[in-house]
Amino acid sequence: MNEPVDVLIIGAGASGAAVAWSLAETRMRIVCLEQGDWPKSNDFPSTGTDWEARALEDYAISPNRRALEADYPVNDDDSPIKIANYNGVGGGTVFYAAHFPRLHPSDFRVRSLDGVADDWPLDYGTLEPFYALNDRMMGVSGLAGDPAYPQKEAVMPPIAMGRTGEVLGTAMNRLGWHWWPSDAAIATEEYEGRAPCINLGQCGSGCAQGAKASTDVTYWPEAIRSRIEVRTKCRVSRIETNDADMATGVHYFDADGKEVFQPAEIVIMACNGIGTPRILLNSASGRFPDGLANSSGLVGKNLMLHPYAQIRGHFDERLDGYRGPPICVWSMEFYETDPARDFLRGYSYQFSRGIGPARTAINGFADGMVPWGEGHHAAFRRLFERSAGMVSVCEDLPEETNRVTLDPDLKDGNGIPAPRITYRLSDNTRKMLEHSVARGVEILEAAGAHDITTKAPVPYAGWHLLGTARMGRDPERSVVNEWGRSHDVKNLFIVDGSVFVTSGGVNPTSTIQAVALYVADQIKSRIYELFD
């Protein structure tokens, strides 16, 4: 058994890093357990010419495909959207595209505005100062003045729109629809010791330049300088509690496969919307027969994955190819509920540049545009560096039937049950996807594209893992309260995407980190009442 600590954080990704950094000023003894290791930038695919192949192998977004020692398997056979996950210091921020929108004010009031789902116990105004703090810590590039949002400052100038952004932005102007240069957690100038982006264009498999704001290069160096300890290759299996229904620490397997107990006064979960319910459910005991912190029965339920549609076209002129951050502009034109449409809520568009040579050939062949044999090279040249398009990020309304449970057979390398995903697209989501495809085709046609292809939903796009330990004031309808504290276990907190009440129609990392900073602030201000 290790010496007791004041605060134990499980997970060193987006939220774990933010909460650790914020709590460091308390001078408490804080340890973070991470089942992966520190990523090494000289190992990233972008350092070699085989980067496209490695993005489907040891740097694949699917843990089932990667199957590295740090990964745990996920049974997602019963879902049309497959789970993406990464275990290591930095978590999903090592692999994400660094697209960095915030939730909109309406996303916190869906029940009040549209009569579905539930309202958050927080609002945009409460999180706004934490959004701003997180923007500075991560180093966010953007352009102030976007009419789709309340006023917010830009930390750095926006990433270059490139010719792709110009062509698609001009088309949006013709249609009279909203668009704006997108916020990105990518340095466009020297920032806090990080070099600026040099347009490698391979953001999704690790940024060797260090321009992309993954938390291993933003929050964690500062937290470690403040004497936070990060222990890697430590896989947590379950949380222990005492007769007073308080967490006493966690059991984990170290790098040698030895099971160790780490005592702690406060336990904070930052394991994402799949990993957190997995540990809670695996922490079932005589006092908590249905899983820890699960008196509501909602642990693992209300899983939201943000179904994506992809719409891409090809152009007569040469565009940016794969060079530059992949997402250059966004549109919130169809974000809010419109009574004229046959679905509630809405979606955002992420406008994206082209793809690499290998994917151009593979996708072109799959879409019937690049034959093998005679005419192959000519057809390839008509596509390569001449494609652009968008994905729609569709709001996923919470449904209890979409859930994470423990698989009865599949286990990880330490014998811990793997998560099993049960997920279905709702009728509302299907209508939203159809609408986004139709409008996306309209945009590309206005931009002069031809050979337009569509896919909905995109199957390997389950990287937004939300809602499985939701936040709320009513213990019967939520897992944690309005400041992230478990209703059932008073010294247990959750700060990752599990606590989302609704998903919005944008990437969640900015909000996940703002919530983590908010919860840390609440812990600091309420420290003396935690054990009352």
Side-chain angles (χ1 to χ4, degrees), residues 278-329:
R278 179 197 186 202
I279 292 174
L280 291 176
L281 292 172
N282 198 52
S283 300
S285 65
R287 288 184 300 276
F288 299 98
D290 298 319
L292 193 61
N294 196 24
S295 64
S296 65
L298 293 175
V299 169
K301 295 181 180 179
N302 297 298
L303 173 65
M304 297 175 283
L305 294 177
H306 276 160
Y308 274 50
Q310 182 183 74
I311 311 98
R312 295 197 65 82
H314 300 84
F315 296 79
D316 294 330
E317 66 171 296
R318 188 178 296 274
L319 300 176
D320 304 317
Y322 59 86
R323 297 168 188 84
I327 303 166
C328 49
V329 297

Side-chain angles (χ1 to χ4, degrees), residues 339-415:
R341 302 195 296 250
D342 61 352
F343 58 87
L344 294 171
R345 304 303 297 159
Y347 57 88
S348 64
Y349 280 129
Q350 303 172 2
F351 294 96
S352 55
R353 306 183 207 272
I355 55 180
R359 281 186 59 201
T360 297
I362 293 169
N363 291 1
F365 175 75
D367 293 331
M369 291 185 285
V370 178
W372 292 120
E374 184 178 355
H376 173 85
H377 291 94
F380 175 84
R381 284 191 291 268
R382 285 195 298 271
L383 301 184
F384 184 52
E385 298 189 330
R386 297 172 186 270
S387 71
M390 68 211 71
V391 294
S392 63
V393 184
C394 293
E395 174 157 356
D396 203 359
L397 292 172
E399 297 184 69
E400 291 187 20
T401 51
N402 290 336
R403 63 194 184 276
V404 179
T405 55
L406 297 181
D407 193 276
D409 303 310
L410 187 64
K411 300 184 185 334
D412 66 20
N414 294 108

Side-chain angles (χ1 to χ4, degrees), residues 138-479:
M138 294 291 279
V140 174
S141 302
L143 181 66
D146 186 347
Y149 279 103
Q151 184 62 38
K152 53 189 174 73
E153 295 182 2
V155 178
M156 280 180 278
I159 57 175
M161 293 196 310
R163 183 59 183 151
T164 301
E166 292 176 5
V167 168
L168 295 174
T170 298
M172 296 295 284
N173 287 343
R174 291 193 188 108
L175 294 167
W177 292 346
H178 169 271
W179 69 278
W180 201 258
S182 57
D183 290 355
I186 296 173
T188 54
E189 56 191 24
E190 293 280 347
Y191 188 79
E192 300 293 337
R194 287 164 46 212
C197 177
I198 55 174
N199 296 320
L200 288 172
Q202 296 144 46
C203 307
S205 52
C207 177
Q209 173 77 350
K212 185 176 78 169
S214 52
T215 58
D216 59 307
V217 299
T218 57
Y219 277 105
W220 277 122
E222 291 205 23
I224 289 169
R225 282 193 290 270
S226 298
R227 300 183 179 180
I228 305 293
E229 179 186 355
V230 179
R231 291 183 202 157
T232 58
K233 301 181 180 179
C234 296
R235 175 174 281 156
V236 174
S237 60
R238 67 189 192 279
I239 299 168
E240 194 63 67
T241 56
N242 60 20
D243 291 339
D245 292 346
M246 300 287 278
T248 57
V250 307
H251 298 269
Y252 71 91
F253 291 93
D254 65 15
D256 298 320
K258 178 183 177 182
E259 189 167 16
V260 182
F261 181 69
Q262 175 59 64
E265 297 294 330
I266 296 172
V267 175
I268 300 177
M269 305 196 71
C271 313
N272 77 43
I274 301 295
T276 285
R278 179 197 186 202
I279 292 174
L280 291 176
L281 292 172
N282 198 52
S283 300
S285 65
R287 288 184 300 276
F288 299 98
D290 298 319
L292 193 61
N294 196 24
S295 64
S296 65
L298 293 175
V299 169
K301 295 181 180 179
N302 297 298
L303 173 65
M304 297 175 283
L305 294 177
H306 276 160
Y308 274 50
Q310 182 183 74
I311 311 98
R312 295 197 65 82
H314 300 84
F315 296 79
D316 294 330
E317 66 171 296
R318 188 178 296 274
L319 300 176
D320 304 317
Y322 59 86
R323 297 168 188 84
I327 303 166
C328 49
V329 297
W330 65 33
S331 172
M332 307 295 175
E333 177 68 24
F334 304 105
Y335 197 86
E336 307 291 350
T337 295
D338 183 345
R341 302 195 296 250
D342 61 352
F343 58 87
L344 294 171
R345 304 303 297 159
Y347 57 88
S348 64
Y349 280 129
Q350 303 172 2
F351 294 96
S352 55
R353 306 183 207 272
I355 55 180
R359 281 186 59 201
T360 297
I362 293 169
N363 291 1
F365 175 75
D367 293 331
M369 291 185 285
V370 178
W372 292 120
E374 184 178 355
H376 173 85
H377 291 94
F380 175 84
R381 284 191 291 268
R382 285 195 298 271
L383 301 184
F384 184 52
E385 298 189 330
R386 297 172 186 270
S387 71
M390 68 211 71
V391 294
S392 63
V393 184
C394 293
E395 174 157 356
D396 203 359
L397 292 172
E399 297 184 69
E400 291 187 20
T401 51
N402 290 336
R403 63 194 184 276
V404 179
T405 55
L406 297 181
D407 193 276
D409 303 310
L410 187 64
K411 300 184 185 334
D412 66 20
N414 294 108
I416 305 169
R420 181 171 61 180
I421 310 304
T422 303
Y423 180 86
R424 299 286 185 274
L425 296 174
S426 68
D427 288 340
N428 192 72
T429 297
R430 292 182 186 279
K431 292 173 181 177
M432 195 184 303
L433 284 167
E434 291 172 3
H435 186 274
S436 72
V437 168
R439 299 292 77 73
V441 169
E442 191 173 350
I443 293 165
L444 289 179
E445 288 177 343
H450 52 80
D451 295 315
I452 297 171
T453 62
T454 67
K455 183 181 295 182
V458 178
Y460 289 93
W463 39 62
H464 301 163
L465 311 173
L466 309 171
T468 50
R470 64 195 337 226
M471 175 183 284
R473 292 188 176 90
D474 182 355
E476 295 185 1
R477 293 294 308 148
S478 57
V479 176

